[in-house]
Amino acid sequence: MKKKALAMVLVGTLSAGLLAACGDASAPASGSSEAATAAATEAAAETATAASTASAEASTGDFYEPTDADGIEDWVTEAGLTGDGQAPDWSAYDSLISDIYTDTDLADRDAKMHQAETMLMATGAIVPLYYYNDLYLENTSWTGNYANVFGTKFFQTSLKDGKPADVMKINLASEPDHLDPQLNSSADGAALATAAFVGLYTYDADGNVVPALADGDPTISDDGTEYTVKMKSGLKWSDGSDLNAEDIVNSWKRAVDPTTGSDYAYLFSVFDGYGDGTNPDINVQATDDTTITFKLTAPCPYMMGLLAFPVFMPVPEEAFGSDSWANEAGFVSDGPYTLKSWTHNESMVYVKNPNYYDAANVSVDELDFMLSADDTAILAAYQSGDIDYADTVPTGEIQNLKDGDDFHIIPNLGTYYVGFNVNSPMFEGKTVAQAAAMRRALGLLIDRQYIVDTIGQTEQKVATSFIPYSMSNGNGGEFKSTDDYAFPADDGYYKDYSVAPDQNMAEAIKLLEYAGYQFDDNNMLSADTPITINYLTNEGTGHEGVAQAIQQDLSTIGVQMNISVEDWQTFINDRKQGNYDVARQGWLADYDDPINMLEMYQSSSGNNDQQLGK
């Protein structure tokens, strides 16, 4: 999920993307219901074969350190990238993701996911910088709220001085793009969604998926594809009307309806009847007021994580056929709070929902949100006592604050990265291989360790691949285990500039020369073949600091990089529509399985900001 404020490291805590952990075949998924996960993964594991060597073969390759034109082309073509213009033909990637969805051989599935990451990284369109952690300030009188590794924050159990409280004042980010849980794609939006809505399942303070509207774990067929979920009886919407199984079914069908425009519709692709998403008719039904049944195309080891994700939350009748029903306060919801008032770009007030199924355990009556991306103003509000919780800190203040009892660092499962628009005019006239070589060359020049040390300042881990180092592989191990797979550069696809500056510089120049650029004797771009790019980011001292660091890195060979800073809503929409050359990106996993980091780059995905296949 996209993170707005740049997690731990930058100025704030990014999500963003702007939207977060699941499990393996032999043990309950982290954040999963034990019984449900065991049933689903056991069915899949029965058909698993010995570990495949396919991904090791696909992941190795000296072509990642090319020494001549043929080697550079191999770097792209051996990863399966072809095409007549500047952007690669993405149909092979789409087919590979479809195969992964239906593969019940977990070792083979793992190998295919490595192959998919190799293909994605070979485009050069994804330049990982660091793996997320999350930082926030919270007044020490407050306890009880919690967050999961996907960046979603839960405030309904907050206590002040150990007791229930009237009001908690919070800053998560600026004006949200969507409050509709089926349209949201940002981490701050997910936190707001969990304040107003709840689905069949949710997360507890230990990161486990637990029943919410559901009355216990699902019943799962022996082959792991048919689920039956019983709901609690007597459930209500915030207006007092009945909430039943039909509401769940209708909401899920709304989420996959192409006219709804949900960026996360593809999460339903594991359902029977989803097809290619153009005319989905997912196999889900309400057999009575409290019983939901649905069928999958293959066992899904991360199904419980999906059922706790916002796009699976029910929405009220007023949402159907409307794209503006949640644009103002007063809409019907089913979560711990309802939105009482909303002064756009300034504040939001959520009040306790007496019809929430677990209202007795909601310990704070009102949540007041300050809407701002100005981290200096946010810190001032926190220090003056105007807010109790700040999800961002100015980069220049981190060292002054990090030893305080109110300064917190928590783990996230996600990656902060730079993304290229593969259809940008900056690649016009280039072949697929030349355009990919350009992107990789620029990525090689970035000093990630410097960014972590001077901007992040909270011990983030330098990223050498898109998929986070701690993510599981869905088959009982870690995806990035080098015992099973050989990566092109140590445990990933890049040696950081801080580790091998001379090597990276030399390789970057070779790549750019292959793409048609000339250099003088001082390894500076010739005035005859200049490179000028525009880097797009949203507001925040951290994000802007990263942009400035990259600007300096690229200038070492004469690349001119201009920086454009936009407000959050404008930024995410420009990025989504491909109105940019290069942009800062962030993705917090939605569940703990590598497919979540890979499926977002299908041609049909609403989260495919790099415009691959578009």
Side-chain angles (χ1 to χ4, degrees), residues 174-175 345 373 537-539 565-573:
S174 56
E175 179 83 357
N345 297 299
T537 186
N538 58 302
E539 301 164 311
V565 181
E566 296 181 337
D567 68 84
W568 176 240
Q569 288 181 308
T570 303
F571 168 71
I572 59 174
N573 284 299

Side-chain angles (χ1 to χ4, degrees), residues 4-6 11 14 416 537-547 584:
K4 181 183 292 189
L6 182 89
V11 33
L14 178 129
Y416 188 84
T537 186
N538 58 302
E539 301 164 311
T541 57
H543 297 306
E544 294 172 48
V546 169
R584 83 94 182 151

